[in-house]
Amino acid sequence: MATAPTAPVIETPGPAVTGAGAIRPKPRSILGYWRLYLAISPFYLLFLCFGLIPVGFSLYLSFHRWDGLGHMEYAGLSQYRYLLGDAQFWHSISNTLIIWAIATLPMLFIALVAAVMLNSAVRFKSVYRFAYFLPNVTSVVAIAIIFGSIFSTNFGLVNAVLQGLGLDQIAWLNTPWGIKVAIASLMTWQWTGYNAIIFLAGLQTIPGELYEAARVDGAGPVQTFFRVTVPLMRPVILFTLVVSTVTGLQSFSEPQVLLQTTSNTSTFAGGPDNAGQTMVLYFFQQTFDNNDFGYGAAIAWGIFLIVGIFSIINWRLVQRREK
């Protein structure tokens, strides 16, 4: 008697085994990822050779006296003790802070206003952005030479305008405050467009409904700017303030090129009475003009500490205002 064929039995997978009895994949050794490490190694090798090792050597060098060729002589903390009592170093700090204040605060305000205007422009936005960003990608040496002509005492454009208004000429590159104003003007012209592009990127993240609500409430353009735009742009303002602080306190090329023909003592001293001698310019003078590499390294670490302190102060002030 024939029997009916039986249906095949289909086994369904059971629940995954977890816990102590689970079978875990064997972890790969670190050598198993050698291809990935090889792919990212160029950055770390370059950073090690041109970043970390020079920084470590500069710290080591700051505790020694060395002229760049002879034998290193251990000096301990004497370089730093001399740095704290170096009147010229403190004078360079004062010059740097004054130039930074004259340049940075107006620059950020002008950049923010320019970004608002760019954001509201309808036609030729790309052309305006290119025109604003062009000074930042132009050679600093070329810019400094042009500004040297603009602030020239006898044939400068600024003095020509003053004469046209019936005012006396000013020896911009031969007076302490004139030097600072000239350097600050150069830095403002160079970095305004860069910060304006960053502000523009931040403005484009603000919803348009907020501006419409402000207009419905009767707020004018000025009230909208200070009551809506500025509060919502605080994170971006913090970023630009910190970046401007770091770059402004490390200004070197601007006074070096602008004042190299007006210095009394050295090509890198910073103009008459060292009125334009910034911290980095003083570091360059001591290291490469006087061949005192140990003291130059100590100056470099002093500059690093000052820049870090002012960056933290700026960050804390903006954060406190947000609260």
Side-chain angles (χ1 to χ4, degrees):
M1 182 174 179
T3 57
T6 58
V9 178
I10 301 176
E11 295 183 358
T12 56
V17 180
T18 58
I23 300 177
R24 296 183 176 87
K26 184 179 179 180
R28 298 173 62 181
S29 64
I30 192 172
L31 296 177
Y33 300 96
W34 68 270
R35 294 181 180 86
L36 303 178
Y37 290 117
L38 182 63
I40 64 174
S41 61
F43 167 78
Y44 291 98
L45 291 176
L46 291 175
F47 175 74
L48 178 66
C49 295
F50 300 101
L52 193 59
I53 292 177
V55 169
F57 180 71
S58 68
L59 182 61
Y60 171 80
L61 187 60
S62 66
F63 296 100
H64 295 76
R65 295 187 182 92
W66 189 43
D67 61 358
L69 296 175
H71 178 71
M72 287 188 183
E73 179 185 354
Y74 180 73
L77 295 174
S78 62
Q79 308 266 37
Y80 291 97
R81 285 194 293 266
Y82 182 80
L83 182 66
L84 292 176
D86 188 356
Q88 193 61 38
F89 176 67
W90 291 103
H91 180 66
S92 68
I93 294 175
S94 175
N95 291 336
T96 305
L97 293 178
I98 293 174
I99 294 172
W100 170 80
I102 297 175
T104 302
L105 300 180
M107 174 186 64
L108 293 180
F109 180 76
I110 296 172
L112 185 56
V113 173
V116 173
M117 296 173 64
L118 284 174
N119 193 43
S120 60
V122 179
R123 302 176 61 186
F124 307 113
K125 281 188 177 182
S126 300
V127 176
Y128 293 142
R129 294 174 187 177
F130 173 78
Y132 275 101
F133 195 73
L134 183 62
N136 186 252
V137 297
T138 306
S139 172
V140 178
V141 176
I143 296 173
I145 293 175
I146 293 173
F147 268 76
S149 301
I150 293 175
F151 285 95
S152 176
T153 302
N154 297 321
F155 305 102
L157 178 62
V158 177
N159 279 335
V161 174
L162 292 178
Q163 281 186 320
L165 296 175
L167 303 175
D168 295 332
Q169 289 185 342
I170 299 176
W172 294 100
L173 302 181
N174 291 285
T175 56
W177 276 101
I179 288 173
K180 293 179 175 61
V181 170
I183 298 174
S185 301
L186 192 159
M187 295 172 62
T188 301
W189 187 83
Q190 181 186 6
W191 291 100
T192 297
Y194 171 83
N195 290 289
I197 297 300
I198 296 178
F199 284 141
L200 179 61
L203 287 171
Q204 291 177 347
T205 63
I206 300 177
E209 293 80 4
L210 297 177
Y211 292 107
E212 294 178 3
R215 284 193 293 268
V216 170
D217 292 339
V222 177
Q223 290 178 323
T224 303
F225 177 77
F226 286 103
R227 298 293 179 88
V228 178
T229 303
V230 173
L232 294 176
M233 288 286 291
R234 279 178 179 171
V236 182
I237 293 175
L238 170 62
F239 171 78
T240 55
L241 184 59
V242 172
V243 172
S244 299
T245 299
V246 174
T247 55
L249 295 180
Q250 297 182 70
S251 57
F252 166 70
S253 300
E254 299 87 351
Q256 179 200 7
V257 179
L258 191 62
L259 305 173
Q260 63 180 348
T261 59
T262 59
S263 175
N264 290 332
T265 58
S266 170
T267 305
F268 307 105
D273 300 327
N274 296 327
Q277 186 180 64
T278 60
M279 295 185 294
V280 180
L281 201 59
Y282 182 62
F283 153 77
F284 191 92
Q285 177 193 8
Q286 293 297 322
T287 305
F288 300 102
D289 201 15
N290 297 339
N291 294 325
D292 194 349
F293 289 87
Y295 186 54
I299 295 174
W301 280 96
I303 294 173
F304 171 78
L305 181 62
I306 292 172
V307 172
I309 290 174
F310 273 87
S311 299
I312 294 173
I313 291 174
N314 289 332
W315 180 78
R316 294 292 297 175
L317 288 176
V318 176
Q319 290 295 322
R320 182 175 299 177
R321 289 178 181 177
E322 286 185 358
K323 296 178 181 178

